Amino acid sequence: MNKIAMILIWVLLSFIFALFYEWFDRKVYARFQNRVGPQITGYKGILQPLADFIKLLKKESIFPVGSNTFLIIFSAISSVALIFFILLFIPLYDFNAPLSFNGDLILLFGIGVLIDILIIITGYSVACPYSNAGAAREAEMIISIEIPFGVSLATIIAISKSISIKENLIFQSLGVPLIIFAPLGFIAYILSSMAKVEKVPFDAPNAESEIVAGWSTEISGRTLALFRLSSDLDLFFLASFGAVIFLGGPTLPYFNLPELLFFNQILNFIILFIKTLGIIFLITMIRSLTARYRIDQVIKFFWKIIIPLAMLNLIAIIMFGLG
Amino acid sequence: MIIIDVLVSIFIVYLVVFIIYLLGNKKKRNSDTYLCGERTTAIKVKYKVRWIFYASLFIAFDATIVLVAITSLSLNIVTIIFLVLITLSLLFIPKEEERDE
């Protein structure tokens, strides 16, 4: 019963933080463009993402004739549920998360690919050329972005000599954050994360000036609400996961809080919150300062620049036995 | 025990999301696609042979990641040689055709 309550609290927290980080992303993005961003709903527009979500939830769903409605709805529900599930592995205030076992890093990587594949399934399930083109672009992008993402995880695993998030965190709390040993891995992680959540310059699968809204062109109503929520949750997951595996998560280097008192847990939570905010700020800054790549440019960029750099970092770690 | 925890967690998160979905507007209707009312069928996207190379490399690299992860506790010279070889495989990606701008 305790476990179920903890899972529900985690899901609620994930929901709140995902919407908060969307607001932060929109606000910062607007400021970079000399706009004010959302400001009507709630204080400084902080409730705008929630209002958008409820509005979409209350609109009717329209599907094009000939679409596989079941697959679209199933993909929408699954993409949100699976991200909620992998967020249960993120330790928010100490080394422990609701779910943790040896090998969870590999599970998270696998489910991350599965979520991307759900988008491809959605795109191909809609009888619309724009959706199909968006799905094809997503498929092409996946074969480029998952590798640097995985290689950066492999680098972390090679340094900490563990395939568990918890042990990885303990390793970092005893020394320095792993970004010191894996700066190229961190760059690969950030860029592939941006591509995973389809942020500019890697938003070819839903490029509005080319293919309307890509794979989500004909998605509407509560299905679209779920897909948008899954995108927000994915951004929150990738940023917090990056903060945990590269920046030490809720811990500070050489600064251990031995007693897990309530105050310490709050402090740890704030540390992780700031680190996650920092990663989202970095992602927003990159997307504000760059223009969209064509799909062939995205593939070339990842295969010819990012993958070799990430592999170089991994090989160097293994050869010199760092960590 | 952990398997039960994982299964229970998956069940709960699916249940929560399904409830959220049920809270939404249940009205559903079919319509023509976006193309100004013109009925279209799903298109087939043409693939170049080059994508097959990328896809093959993707599978090889994905397997590598799991391999490196599993052998992370006892990394040796064989792993390094394997990683170098797979990195060199990037050279075999066919040259891009020049795009007409």
Side-chain angles (χ1 to χ4, degrees):
Chain A
M1 199 63 202
N2 222 352
K3 196 87 176 174
I4 293 172
M6 199 170 184
I7 290 167
L8 289 174
I9 290 169
W10 229 256
V11 166
L12 183 67
L13 278 177
S14 305
F15 180 75
I16 292 168
F17 278 102
L19 295 182
F20 170 78
Y21 285 123
E22 190 207 326
W23 168 79
F24 178 76
D25 177 54
R26 284 169 67 173
K27 204 77 183 167
V28 173
Y29 191 56
R31 292 311 303 154
F32 270 111
Q33 295 178 337
N34 214 12
R35 296 185 287 115
V36 287
Q39 60 170 354
I40 294 172
T41 321
Y43 175 72
K44 301 269 184 192
I46 198 165
L47 295 176
Q48 191 60 51
L50 181 65
D52 290 347
F53 178 72
I54 294 170
K55 183 197 76 180
L56 277 175
L57 210 58
K58 291 295 170 193
K59 290 184 104 175
E60 69 171 332
S61 302
I62 303 167
F63 297 101
V65 178
S67 301
N68 191 333
T69 317
F70 170 76
L71 269 183
I72 298 168
I73 296 169
F74 173 77
S75 301
I77 293 174
S78 294
S79 59
V80 178
L82 288 175
I83 300 176
F84 272 138
F85 172 66
I86 53 178
L87 275 163
L88 296 173
F89 289 88
I90 302 293
L92 293 182
Y93 52 80
D94 58 21
F95 297 135
N96 297 308
L99 288 177
S100 171
F101 60 88
N102 198 18
D104 49 11
L105 266 172
I106 297 176
L107 180 81
L108 261 59
F109 175 61
I111 292 181
V113 181
L114 197 63
I115 292 163
D116 293 340
I117 288 171
L118 285 172
I119 289 175
I120 301 173
I121 291 173
T122 309
Y124 276 115
S125 303
V126 182
C128 167
Y130 296 127
S131 305
N132 292 179
R137 286 184 178 196
E138 179 73 23
E140 288 163 6
M141 216 160 76
I142 279 179
I143 59 170
S144 312
I145 61 172
E146 290 299 339
I147 304 302
F149 188 81
V151 173
S152 60
L153 290 192
T155 312
I156 293 302
I157 290 166
I159 300 169
S160 64
K161 306 259 187 296
S162 165
I163 44 178
S164 150
I165 296 173
K166 186 180 176 180
E167 286 176 22
N168 185 287
L169 260 183
I170 294 171
F171 179 87
Q172 291 184 84
S173 70
L174 299 172
V176 290
L178 296 184
I179 188 175
I180 305 288
F181 300 111
L184 298 177
F186 182 69
I187 293 169
Y189 178 87
I190 291 290
L191 293 176
S192 46
S193 297
M194 288 182 72
K196 268 163 117 45
V197 287
E198 295 170 5
K199 296 283 184 196
V200 179
F202 310 116
D203 67 332
N206 58 13
E208 72 281 349
S209 56
E210 299 166 18
I211 47 173
V212 190
W215 59 269
S216 60
T217 302
E218 294 286 358
I219 309 290
S220 55
R222 52 184 174 167
T223 321
L224 183 60
L226 287 186
F227 273 119
R228 283 191 51 148
L229 178 64
S230 96
S231 177
D232 292 343
L233 285 167
D234 211 4
L235 180 66
F236 170 49
F237 166 72
L238 291 165
S240 56
F241 186 51
V244 167
I245 60 169
F246 283 101
L247 306 176
T251 63
L252 288 174
Y254 302 111
F255 184 72
N256 251 333
L257 295 168
E259 298 290 326
L260 291 177
L261 299 171
F262 183 70
F263 171 75
N264 294 351
Q265 290 182 342
I266 295 281
L267 192 66
N268 284 345
F269 181 77
I270 292 169
I271 292 168
L272 180 67
F273 177 78
I274 293 168
K275 286 176 181 176
T276 309
L277 214 58
I279 289 184
I280 289 181
F281 181 80
L282 186 65
I283 288 174
T284 311
M285 194 175 72
I286 295 171
R287 90 178 173 110
S288 309
L289 302 175
T290 49
R292 180 185 305 128
Y293 282 151
R294 286 195 314 260
I295 187 69
D296 58 314
Q297 289 173 327
V298 173
I299 291 167
K300 208 183 332 181
F301 176 71
F302 277 101
W303 277 103
K304 294 186 175 170
I305 299 172
I306 302 302
I307 294 177
L309 284 178
M311 289 298 281
L312 192 71
N313 203 155
L314 177 60
I315 292 169
I317 292 292
I318 294 170
M319 282 183 77
F320 299 113
L322 294 171
Chain B
M1 193 62 192
I2 188 68
I3 292 174
I4 295 169
D5 280 353
V6 166
L7 290 176
V8 168
S9 311
I10 289 179
F11 175 75
I12 292 171
V13 291
Y14 262 93
L15 191 68
V16 169
V17 179
F18 193 65
I19 290 168
I20 294 174
Y21 182 74
L22 289 180
L23 289 174
N25 190 336
K26 291 179 183 61
K27 264 191 201 167
K28 192 177 91 174
R29 65 183 170 92
N30 288 342
S31 81
D32 290 332
T33 55
Y34 181 80
L35 298 171
C36 307
E38 189 181 332
R39 190 164 292 181
T40 57
T41 53
I43 57 160
K44 281 201 167 184
V45 178
K46 289 177 185 172
Y47 276 93
K48 291 177 183 172
V49 181
R50 185 158 49 90
W51 300 129
I52 297 170
F53 283 91
Y54 280 121
S56 324
L57 280 174
F58 170 70
I59 294 163
F61 270 87
D62 242 18
T64 308
I65 291 157
V66 177
L67 191 80
V68 170
I70 292 168
T71 59
S72 62
L73 297 172
S74 57
L75 287 168
N76 53 34
I77 192 72
V78 179
T79 319
I80 296 168
I81 292 168
F82 179 71
L83 286 175
V84 170
L85 279 177
I86 203 149
T87 310
L88 288 177
S89 70
L90 294 175
L91 296 175
F92 291 100
I93 294 174
K95 279 248 173 215
E96 302 263 348
E97 287 170 22
E98 282 301 315
R99 237 179 101 105
D100 296 327
E101 296 293 341

